[in-house]
Amino acid sequence: MDIHRCRFVPYPRFAINALAFSHPSSLNATSKEYSTLRLAIGRANGDIEIWNPLNGIWLQEMVLHGGKDRSIEGLVWTQDPDDVDRQGRKTPGKLRLFSIGYSTAVTEWDLALGKPLRHSAGNFGELWCIAAQPGLPSSEKASTERQDHTREPNLVAGCADGAIVVFSTSDGDLRFLKALARPSKKRARVLSITYQNRDTVVVGHADSTIRVFDARNGQQIRNMSLGAGPVGGPKETLVWSVKCLPDGTIVSGDSTGTLRFWDGKTYTLLQRIKSHVADILDVTASADGETVISGGMDRRTTVYKRMGRGKKGGKRQWAELMHRRYHKHDVKAMATFETKSLSVLVSGGLDTNPIIVPIQKFGKEFHRTISGLPLQPCMGGAPGERLMMSWWAEEIHIWRIAGYDQSQRQVSQKGNELDPVQTRKLAASVVIQGEESLTSADLAANGRMLAACSVSRVKLFRLRPRPRDTLKVLKVEIPSEVGEVGARMVKFSPDGKWLLIIRANSSTQVCRLREDGSIKKRLFIASKIINLKRLSRDPITTKVQCGSLGSYERSINRAAFSADSRVLVVGDLSGYLDSWVLEGHEDLTRDADENVEVTEPSSSDDEDADEEIHHQVILGQHWIRNPTASLIPKLSGSALILSFRPAKEQSTKAINGNTAVHPARKTSRPRSQDLPHGEDRLLAITCGHQMYEFNVLSGGLSKWSRRNPSPSLPRNFRNLKDRAMGLIWDICGRRERIWLYGSSWLWMLDLSVGFPIVKGPGKHGVDRNAPPRLDGGNHLKRRRESDESDVEGGKGNTGAGDQIPRSELSMGIGRKFRKMEGPKTSNSPWISADRELVRASDDDDDDYETANPSALLDLRRGPDGNIITDRSAEDPVAPRGSTTLARRRMRHPRSSWGTHVYRDILGIVPLGDDAEHRDGHVGRTLSRDDIPRGVEVALVERPLWEADLPPRYHGNQEWDD
């Protein structure tokens, strides 16, 4: 692979201002009970990212795009009360997400549509903070005696003028309810707010005061003063954060870097700790209230523990346990969530990267840094024209990258080092007018068309070459039913004839693109819009299990066309795949706008079997649902990558491909029913880095996928923390490679070489170090820790990083003891104090049960472990039906290779059109001189140290870590 490392592509990073988990912590619950758990991250550009923890995988599922001059300053989740239907089935209440930011309005977001649902504003100042009313205790849920409580939680917000307002979320609506407190004479800003219980609100102000209000009548219960500011400093102390522990204790962090603990009954000061050298910007606590964590402007994340019992009848004292500088800039927001298996702290700030820190195993597990760049690359390209496109906010930039030979000629002519500016050229820039940010953009493979969309409109542009390798951008007039409705995704087919539009409600539409017969060849869209209907899934099961998210998990997040543009596949967040095929052949003699509609009864076995399907025929072709779509199994998780194999042979184009179809008396408009017969193998990679390849037209796994199940993939690849972002194909001759990349890694997998079978201690060849499955099960029935292991304990992590080896532990006492018997102690074994002792059995191997198809590898491969390949379908020289062994050559080619030298990867775009070179070597063995260098790509990096960040705080004895 030839790589052009690019750092000139503009993509600004935006700070994290707010964090919020969708559910409260519960130490008695399991992860399965929180299958709908989500994390919302609010950024300074108005975007809200929705993350799924997935037991430590941390998948970015969706981005709710903001708009121009918008920012997210606060986030809260609420959940409506559960409903019970007539059959007694309990349906979880709907999860609702609310945000504030530099305005007087509270915004509710529709997760399924990915855009704001409603707003509520009033005659008060800008909202600075927001909190949601806690739910009723279990003892009060069954009681109906208390009529003063509403079932739906209220929202309370603090304003810049000192007012405190309450919003109601009852009846599925959002409206202003009342003012809890009017602006004071000082008009001190309300900087932080929280609920101590359903009836008590604790508010932190900018005038060195914490006030407590009764949420029922607005009466002020107590006024707690922090005293005068530090000597030589500001007169007033800013209370940036207030939180309440389960026992009612109030914790506050202020601008002096002091953490204060207040009694929840008498509202008196219990203790204060000067732990930061600058402002404490946020405070959070563990579920049991025994651990408090603070973050501030000095980049410190400080952990406090409640120590001992103290004096008889006295309060337990708090002590600072330790502090670390995980972040490179201010820590502005923090959130915690804990269950039996998941216990994490998520923090974010001006350095844009979320950081995951373990709570229960703090000091025993590594922390984890997640890239602040989007998981779905905002990149595109036209390889044949060597064009690379990037987009963000309302801007689109198109670059032309110089080729390898052209760069060498420039060097030889100048006789010195190559000027970096000469290797690239900004061909075009487009700024979309409007208030909303772009949700998607795509560049046609021929480099002649550009499509972009936002939540309110769709835009189409024509690109024409101009002198000096630039492009002229021309706007294309499109029908109002296409352009005046927003979308979440747009995508061109490889041949540039079809435009796929995924609407906000995940409805799928395709439009036919054509050029008129004029000299300028103006581009236009056929007047017909084809709506593709997806398969109906079981609504009852989905509603009962995931009712709190509604139709959110059916949102489409990935789409792919086949190489011949006749097969289309889309995937949603739940793991379902829907596919359609283009039936018939193109007939240019027909009019694209003629009204031809074919009706036929549905042949599927779903609930729509009695309905009729209407096909719209355009130029002799029509999209139909794949006849074998229902046979494609559901993926084990959301698909990160969907990509068809490139076609090795290009089919000849026919002007009238339906020559055998003739009109008759009853069929004046005949249509062809020929299905595509080209390359239909689809490669899907899930969020758990499991790889599947499907034959879409036959509706099953391919031979390669059956011989290479996901557990046989390299262990280092499966253990990667950052999720896969994209895929590049490298196919030439018998070489079949894919290049996968994430935000911090680049990995090559050779599909023509069998992955080695990792033999474990069991008798079935099971990999004991395989990661856990997405369904919560384990690959082994029981796991035992080896005495020689350098890792503490034998269990997985609690949602952050891996466990820290004993040799690297930096805190705590020894965790191993030695059992000595007799005078000889040299052979005495060391026993881990954290290890769960298990009685050994004679039939140890029988205690392990495989939960993956690794045991079938020996049957699907040859006697030497190599892949059994049927070359009759690929090699025209081999006789039909013959089976050969693809044995490794003497040099033993690598089946995989990876590197971590690139940080942070925004995206990778292929360059150059090697179709002619690839087709010229089909069916014959390449010599060493004929082997090409490989695919050529542009790798775009946006490292944090090159980001434009504001100046950070530097105190005494501060230096870069």
Side-chain angles (χ1 to χ4, degrees), residues 652-670:
T652 59
K653 297 181 180 180
I655 297 178
N656 187 357
N658 301 319
T659 55
V661 180
H662 303 285
R665 182 175 60 183
K666 296 183 179 180
T667 57
S668 59
R669 298 289 185 180

Side-chain angles (χ1 to χ4, degrees), residues 617-727:
V617 181
I618 299 180
L619 297 176
Q621 294 178 309
H622 47 276
W623 287 93
I624 65 171
R625 182 183 296 165
N626 181 18
T628 61
S630 59
L631 301 180
I632 300 178
K634 178 185 177 182
L635 299 178
S636 57
S638 175
L640 296 180
I641 298 174
L642 294 177
S643 180
F644 282 91
R645 288 201 182 210
K648 293 186 177 181
E649 297 181 358
Q650 300 292 336
S651 59
T652 59
K653 297 181 180 180
I655 297 178
N656 187 357
N658 301 319
T659 55
V661 180
H662 303 285
R665 182 175 60 183
K666 296 183 179 180
T667 57
S668 59
R669 298 289 185 180
R671 63 185 181 90
S672 173
Q673 297 182 356
D674 292 338
L675 295 176
H677 55 273
E679 180 63 77
D680 68 328
R681 286 178 291 179
L682 173 71
L683 191 66
I685 300 178
T686 67
C687 55
H689 280 180
Q690 299 184 8
M691 187 179 300
Y692 306 95
E693 188 179 57
F694 299 100
N695 290 113
V696 178
L697 297 181
S698 59
L701 291 174
S702 66
K703 294 181 179 180
W704 179 90
S705 188
R706 293 179 182 273
R707 291 189 297 263
N708 297 272
S710 296
S712 66
L713 295 176
R715 183 186 307 172
N716 293 336
F717 171 75
R718 289 183 285 117
N719 291 338
L720 290 171
K721 297 298 181 183
D722 296 329
R723 298 298 91 188
M725 299 171 56
L727 178 148

Side-chain angles (χ1 to χ4, degrees), residues 19-35:
L19 294 166
F21 279 101
S22 59
H23 294 77
S25 300
S26 177
L27 295 176
N28 298 325
T30 61
S31 298
K32 292 183 179 179
E33 300 178 28
Y34 287 97
S35 60

Side-chain angles (χ1 to χ4, degrees), residues 914-929:
D914 58 346
E916 298 181 358
H917 180 77
R918 181 175 63 246
D919 297 338
H921 295 93
V922 173
R924 69 182 183 89
T925 304
L926 299 177
S927 64
R928 181 176 300 178
D929 297 334

Side-chain angles (χ1 to χ4, degrees), residues 417-702:
E417 295 183 359
L418 181 64
D419 184 8
V421 180
Q422 301 300 324
T423 62
R424 62 181 185 269
K425 180 72 174 182
L426 182 60
S429 294
V430 180
V431 179
I432 307 298
Q433 295 183 357
E435 296 295 330
E436 295 84 6
S437 299
L438 296 177
T439 58
S440 178
D442 193 30
L443 182 65
N446 57 9
R448 296 294 181 265
M449 292 177 291
L450 172 66
C453 65
S454 65
V455 295
S456 61
R457 59 178 59 88
V458 176
K459 298 288 186 180
L460 182 63
F461 302 93
R462 181 67 182 267
L463 304 179
R464 288 185 178 177
R466 299 177 63 181
R468 299 181 181 180
D469 291 335
T470 59
L471 296 173
K472 183 178 181 180
V473 182
L474 302 175
K475 182 180 178 181
V476 178
E477 297 295 334
I478 58 180
S480 59
E481 58 269 22
V482 177
E484 297 301 326
V485 182
R488 67 172 66 206
M489 183 189 304
V490 290
K491 188 177 185 65
F492 288 105
S493 61
D495 58 6
K497 297 180 180 179
W498 298 94
L499 175 62
L500 170 67
I501 302 176
I502 306 297
R503 297 297 183 181
N505 60 354
S506 292
S507 61
T508 306
Q509 298 178 347
V510 288
C511 304
R512 185 62 162 87
L513 304 176
R514 293 198 66 189
E515 294 180 347
D516 59 13
S518 62
I519 299 178
K520 295 184 178 181
K521 294 183 178 181
R522 295 184 177 87
L523 182 69
F524 67 95
I525 292 181
S527 59
K528 300 176 184 177
I529 302 176
I530 303 177
N531 295 285
L532 304 180
K533 190 174 183 180
R534 303 161 67 189
L535 280 173
S536 299
R537 311 297 178 178
D538 187 0
I540 297 179
T541 304
T542 304
K543 186 175 181 180
V544 172
Q545 294 179 354
C546 306
S548 58
L549 289 175
S551 59
Y552 165 77
E553 293 193 346
R554 291 285 285 146
S555 302
I556 296 176
N557 64 333
R558 297 295 185 272
F561 277 100
S562 62
D564 59 359
S565 303
R566 298 192 63 185
V567 183
L568 171 62
V569 176
V570 298
D572 57 28
L573 295 176
S574 61
Y576 287 111
L577 298 179
D578 293 276
S579 56
W580 300 270
V581 295
L582 185 59
E583 195 178 50
H585 300 280
E586 185 180 29
D587 186 0
L588 297 179
T589 60
R590 291 192 175 188
D591 186 4
D593 295 331
E594 63 180 350
N595 188 14
V596 179
E597 189 173 274
V598 180
T599 305
E600 66 178 7
S602 174
S603 59
S604 60
D605 54 357
D606 58 5
E607 63 178 7
D608 301 326
D610 297 334
E611 297 182 2
E612 292 183 343
I613 299 178
H614 301 273
H615 298 304
Q616 293 181 340
V617 181
I618 299 180
L619 297 176
Q621 294 178 309
H622 47 276
W623 287 93
I624 65 171
R625 182 183 296 165
N626 181 18
T628 61
S630 59
L631 301 180
I632 300 178
K634 178 185 177 182
L635 299 178
S636 57
S638 175
L640 296 180
I641 298 174
L642 294 177
S643 180
F644 282 91
R645 288 201 182 210
K648 293 186 177 181
E649 297 181 358
Q650 300 292 336
S651 59
T652 59
K653 297 181 180 180
I655 297 178
N656 187 357
N658 301 319
T659 55
V661 180
H662 303 285
R665 182 175 60 183
K666 296 183 179 180
T667 57
S668 59
R669 298 289 185 180
R671 63 185 181 90
S672 173
Q673 297 182 356
D674 292 338
L675 295 176
H677 55 273
E679 180 63 77
D680 68 328
R681 286 178 291 179
L682 173 71
L683 191 66
I685 300 178
T686 67
C687 55
H689 280 180
Q690 299 184 8
M691 187 179 300
Y692 306 95
E693 188 179 57
F694 299 100
N695 290 113
V696 178
L697 297 181
S698 59
L701 291 174
S702 66

